[in-house]
Amino acid sequence: TVEGKKMSKSLGNVIDPFAIVEEFGVDPLRWYCLREVSFGQDGDFGREKFVNRNNSDLANNFGNLAQRSLSMIQKNFGGIVPEIQQAPADTALVGEAIASIERMRDAMATQMIHEAAGELVALLNGANLYFAEQAPWGRKDDLPRMGAILATTADIVRRAAIAARAFVPESA
């Protein structure tokens, strides 16, 4: 369907996937379909919903986390990821990432691809919350702690990028 209406030539609401790929690329269309549509089921496409899903999940959630953390590593540590010296909050995040990726594997094994994609989003939501709560930008007087936060975040970005290859191989 397109915005809740059956897709048909007579209604003039047929979506040309090649035009979407031409405008946005293949990964955003792949992500939208895998995230929004249960495998083997019908789905609904809306241009605004498509743009919002990609902006929310990929650009804002994933891209901004990677950009903010990696640019801070560049600025404060000369582009070298600091050694991980984890505090309890860091260890908890890594543990949740490992568990989330395992849930992704389980969902993929049962062809619940949209649930696997949802797990990736949940992992990124948790990482963004951690990053905001730990506020490495406010730790200029405690470089070891700043480094640990940034190293942990970089590790999560790495894990998420590897997991994302199943959904957005070119972007990941």
Side-chain angles (χ1 to χ4, degrees):
T1 57
V2 176
E3 297 178 358
K5 297 179 182 162
K6 185 175 177 165
M7 189 182 305
S8 77
K9 288 185 215 175
S10 61
L11 290 177
N13 66 350
V14 174
I15 302 296
D16 179 0
F18 296 107
I20 299 290
V21 168
E22 181 71 29
E23 184 175 355
F24 295 99
V26 72
D27 276 354
L29 181 58
R30 181 184 294 118
W31 174 255
Y32 179 84
C33 290
L34 295 175
R35 177 79 169 101
E36 288 291 322
V37 181
S38 298
F39 184 68
Q41 303 297 313
D42 290 339
D44 186 62
F45 183 89
R47 184 177 179 87
E48 184 175 337
K49 192 162 67 167
F50 168 78
V51 169
N52 288 342
R53 169 61 65 198
N54 279 286
N55 285 344
S56 172
D57 293 351
L58 300 180
N60 297 340
N61 209 354
F62 204 170
N64 285 346
L65 179 66
Q67 175 60 33
R68 289 182 304 161
S69 60
L70 297 176
S71 65
M72 287 187 71
I73 290 171
Q74 178 63 38
K75 178 181 177 184
N76 295 287
F77 297 94
I80 298 170
V81 177
E83 286 191 34
I84 296 179
Q85 300 170 0
Q86 293 181 330
D90 310 335
T91 305
L93 179 65
V94 172
E96 182 50 40
I98 292 167
S100 185
I101 291 168
E102 188 59 37
R103 288 188 297 271
M104 287 177 68
R105 284 188 188 114
D106 292 344
M108 293 293 271
T110 58
Q111 296 181 343
M112 300 299 288
I113 300 167
H114 67 288
E115 288 185 14
E119 279 294 333
L120 179 61
V121 171
L123 167 60
L124 293 167
N125 287 341
N128 275 290
L129 180 61
Y130 161 86
F131 195 75
E133 288 175 349
Q134 295 300 313
W137 52 87
R139 310 243 184 193
K140 294 188 189 305
D141 294 340
D142 187 359
L143 284 180
R145 182 65 194 133
M146 176 196 276
I149 296 164
L150 294 173
T152 300
T153 304
D155 181 47
I156 299 304
V157 167
R158 177 189 64 83
R159 291 172 191 269
I162 292 167
R165 289 184 61 208
F167 307 102
V168 289
E170 291 179 16
S171 302

